[in-house]
Amino acid sequence: METNEVMNPENVQGMFLCWLQVSRRMEKTMSLVEWELKNWLLEHAVHCTIPDLEWPSAMKAIRKRVSTANARKNADDAPLDFRWSRPDEVSSGYIRIEREGEPKAVMNIPVIDWRGNFMPCSI
């Protein structure tokens, strides 16, 4: 078995969204709005694949959900920040939602290259 196998970009069919990781800080202090966002991510994004061409629209849909959550938060609650990165030849990607000013209160979805049958997202 070869361990230094070179990735062939032609084989990449899309991005696979792995399991949602929620930090202990976020879990312990989660507001109802954040809880609803977490459940939406679990229902619509986790364990599915996004074709390369649909990546921008999927990120736009998640950004819209985060913006909606921020609009529904109490005035004294810290807003959520949304960042993402596509996987590339040397590293995995991510979808990261964290409370502004609280870097340890975070929801993270690792994103990896996908080379198999699609399990489409409902984002």
Side-chain angles (χ1 to χ4, degrees):
M1 180 172 145
E2 293 183 30
T3 56
N4 292 331
E5 191 173 323
V6 176
M7 185 180 99
N8 184 353
E10 289 85 34
N11 290 338
V12 175
Q13 297 176 9
M15 277 67 75
F16 177 73
L17 306 183
C18 300
W19 185 249
L20 177 67
Q21 303 165 340
V22 181
S23 69
R24 288 182 193 257
R25 168 95 34 108
M26 177 69 86
E27 194 70 49
K28 287 181 179 181
T29 60
M30 193 173 277
S31 68
L32 178 60
V33 172
E34 292 167 343
W35 182 81
E36 290 171 350
L37 177 62
K38 177 188 89 167
N39 286 340
W40 182 84
L41 289 168
L42 286 170
E43 290 176 22
H44 296 92
V46 168
H47 286 165
C48 65
T49 49
I50 299 175
D52 197 39
L53 294 175
E54 293 178 22
W55 179 260
S57 61
M59 295 306 99
K60 184 177 178 181
I62 294 173
R63 182 179 301 283
K64 183 178 178 185
R65 290 301 283 214
V66 172
S67 295
T68 301
N70 281 331
R72 293 183 52 220
K73 281 179 154 253
N74 294 329
D76 58 338
D77 288 343
L80 298 171
D81 184 35
F82 171 67
R83 291 181 291 157
W84 58 268
S85 173
R86 279 182 133 134
D88 57 28
E89 295 83 22
V90 293
S91 64
S92 297
Y94 61 85
I95 298 170
R96 187 176 177 91
I97 301 166
E98 68 180 38
R99 272 193 216 128
E100 215 170 85
E102 286 188 69
K104 291 187 179 180
V106 68
M107 289 185 265
N108 187 59
I109 302 174
V111 181
I112 59 173
D113 288 336
W114 185 254
R115 295 171 176 85
N117 297 324
F118 277 105
M119 296 174 289
C121 291
S122 58
I123 304 177

